[in-house]
Amino acid sequence: MTKMTIMGNMATALGAKLCRPHVIPAYPITPSTLFPEKISEFIANGEMDGEMIRVESEHSAMSAAIGASATGARVCTASASQGIALMHEMLFIASGMRLPIVMAVGNRALSAPINIWCDHQDTISERDVGWLQFYAEKNQEGLDLMILAFKICEDKRVLLPGMVGIDAFVLTHTVEGVDVPDQKLVDDFLPPYKPEKYLDARTPITFGSFGTPEFYQEFKYAQVKAMEESEKVIDEAFREYKKVFGRTYQKITPYRCEDADMVILTLGSMSGTARAAVDILREEGKKAGCIKMTVYRPFPGKELIDVSKNAKVIAVLDRDITPGLGGALYADVAAQFVNRTAHPVILNYILGLGGRDIVINDFKEIYDKSHQALEKGIQNPVEWINLNKEIL
Amino acid sequence: MKITIGAINDKPGSSKNYKTGSWRTLKPVINLEKCKKCWLCKQLCPEGCITKKEEGPQINYDYCKGCGICAHECTFDAIIMELEER
Amino acid sequence: MTEEKELFACGHRACAGCSEPIAVRMILEEAGPNTIGTICTGCLEVVSTGWPETAWEIPLIHAAFENSASVASGVEVALRQLGRDDTHVIAFAGDGGTFDIGLQALSGMLERGHKILYVCLDNEAYMNTGIQRCSSTPLGTSTTTSPAGTYSIGEDRQKKPIGAICAAHCIPYTATATIAYPQDLKKKVRKALAVNGPSFLHVLVPCPTGWRFSSEETVELARLAVETGIFVLWELEGGNLQNIKVTKKPKTWRPVEDYLKQQGRYKHLFKPKKRQDVIEKIQQDVDQKLIELGITKET
């Protein structure tokens, strides 16, 4: 193990390098650009085998990734925001073909107006494409989740692609201490990718069949079953990771939730701030807790219910928006509880869009607003935090 | 047939299960006496359903759609199109 | 007598008289079974890959419409990384997937120098979706989105010079071919597969459904396209268009009218009244192109 002080993009790039991908098709985009730069550097210096494809667009990055993965190679890439939006149609095809491609993401807002800073709109918008989704709170998690993503996605029971999100700038460009595992340990943890079927002249097969109404639904069902199957594969992989590398991962990580009246659900880097806020709220005698969600797809509904069912209110924080509805995570959480006779009040807070900072005071406001809703009734289940009404 | 992971089809050439011969309204018939075995018909057949035999080209009517390219292109007028009788 | 195995099998659902399978069969016969193919969404995909059947006897991948070139790029690099790069990679695409929506991916593939043969099967419109115009559609062609009418001659733009665009990437080999000249086509496939880098083969594939002619005339139309100079068969090594070598010159060049009048997509040029002006313009364009290629027509 080596201790390094590095930016988030370097952490995901190092995570990728440790997984020994054969092919890395990538296209630069802020804030992920350092990833392809670092991979290029590793290859240029002979520190890494594998080949970059310096494609002319993100669409081609994902297309080349699909071609390479179908040929039997281990493939990773990186992107963000508009780049992921441009990949959109190919993301469906990667999962439909059951190709375990792994993508590092620097989570960034979408145009317009153009904005290069952090929110989760880019990957949240891809929640339906059939990829596993992981969100890192810090750079260490970025590195670890890259290795874990390959391990989980390549499992024969899963065979689906996965994306690992690290928040734009807050993580991608922020330097933190990271333990970089030894190559030997990673090699043992993640054996070479050996698909059963791949493009090979000795055994001609056809990828990309035309699925008529007679068959399409069954293919989709099988794909969804694999996503469901990944739930237990994720748990197994997290357990094994802990054993080999000593670091603990959970689909959701609760903090001071046991007796909490209110739990705050977060994704990504705001989770650390949430814990600090909970500590302060507790000092003030307020029974707050928080939950960090690391795995967003498959959605950890059972775990979420277990941890939060006794709370009076769940405050779901969305760094994304589904216009006309509210936050996407809010809708996901609400769906988990809807058929239970008794459940917490579920409130939604939209915040941190386009790189607006999320600070401890925001959590205090969220606590107060939620408390008020409990006492006086819900005025508006979807509230925007830190909105400058003066310029509206 | 059971579906496969990722809709991968591992039965190369399985299109042969589908007999396109039923599409045909005109049927090419080879006059082997006129045939010079140049195999142009085989080359130009969109179906690839003409095979080389000692005696000359043989049409697999299970697949021939009756497009008539073979008859139209035959340099020796060795193929004629007849009305398909079913 | 031993029979060579067909690499594109019977039972595919192309229209009777379709020339795409003819071209694919010829290309694969030359390339052999040690080949991986990529195709884009379109006629060729729809007719050959309907689950639970496939017409392909080589490994094949279809991903989407605009990216046969970039999928093939991934295949080619993966083969090299996995030590299997003795396998040919052929990217097939239609004219829509090449001239229009796939041009960017194709340019990237050519520029990056992948060892891939890219084959454009050009039937000069979006046939799979019902004969809409494409930038490959020639002047004067009636399609469903460039219909001939009282105020319309049909398509009012020239066909995009795709071969020149590809050659301008200074790739090792660019050529045109068509199904009426199998030996010429196969020789070009052979040359293309032998170069150490990208090659582009533009194949004219007449479409009985979209061009509106009788199914037995497919090969004749391809031949007429060449004999009138509408589609010139040439090849080029490197990026200097001055070095284009014309590989088929008919003894006498026929008037374009002979080609046009045989197709329903041009019938508005002959009825209700003959559009001599449009026919002459098409003829002039052909004559000009032949002069640029250094061909003097015999009278």
Side-chain angles (χ1 to χ4, degrees), chain A residues 56-68:
Chain A
E56 81 297 334
S57 72
E58 288 91 351
H59 192 282
S60 280
M62 192 43 60
S63 303
I66 287 166

Side-chain angles (χ1 to χ4, degrees), chain A residues 22 50-51 54-57 59-60 63-64 68 71 89-90 93 97 198-199 201 204-208 210 215, chain C residues 34 45 49 51 54 57-63 66-67 70-71 74-75 77-82 84 104-105 112:
Chain A
H22 300 99
E51 192 171 330
R54 275 77 55 107
V55 283
E56 81 297 334
S57 72
H59 192 282
S60 280
S63 303
T71 308
E89 79 164 334
M90 300 316 297
I93 294 170
M97 288 188 183
Y198 53 93
L199 295 170
I205 58 172
T206 295
F207 269 90
F210 180 53
F215 305 105
Chain C
N34 191 12
E45 165 259 333
T49 67
W51 180 268
T54 175
E57 301 264 8
I58 58 162
L60 181 97
I61 179 166
H62 156 251
E66 66 280 61
N67 58 358
S70 32
V71 173
V75 171
V77 174
L79 285 174
R80 184 160 55 247
Q81 281 295 313
L82 297 166
R84 295 193 271 128
Q104 175 180 318
R112 290 190 299 270

Side-chain angles (χ1 to χ4, degrees), chain A residues 232-250:
Chain A
K232 84 170 168 246
V233 178
I234 291 168
D235 287 333
E236 286 172 22
F238 283 174
R239 272 199 298 276
E240 192 182 337
Y241 203 83
K242 161 93 173 151
K243 213 185 299 170
V244 178
F245 302 98
R247 281 183 292 278
T248 306
Y249 285 88
Q250 292 173 275

Side-chain angles (χ1 to χ4, degrees), chain C residues 9 16 24 37 58 67 98-99 127-128 133 155 192 219 225 276 281:
Chain C
V24 170
I58 58 162
N67 58 358
T98 302
F99 287 65
M127 296 314 182
N128 189 44
R133 72 80 73 177
E155 175 59 29
V219 180
Q276 198 61 43
K281 168 75 175 127

Side-chain angles (χ1 to χ4, degrees), chain A residues 110-123:
Chain A
L110 271 122
S111 288
I114 191 161
N115 174 293
I116 58 168
W117 292 275
C118 176
D119 67 34
H120 298 147
Q121 193 72 52
D122 51 3
T123 47

Side-chain angles (χ1 to χ4, degrees), chain C residues 124 137-142 153 211-212 230 259-271 279 282:
Chain C
E124 303 193 321
T137 305
L139 184 84
T141 307
S142 185
I153 61 159
W211 295 14
R212 306 195 191 284
I230 288 270
Y259 173 74
L260 302 175
K261 70 184 179 200
Q262 208 159 323
Q263 304 172 57
R265 63 176 174 160
Y266 297 116
K267 77 167 186 280
H268 59 287
L269 301 183
F270 299 93
K271 280 178 196 169
I279 297 170
I282 296 170

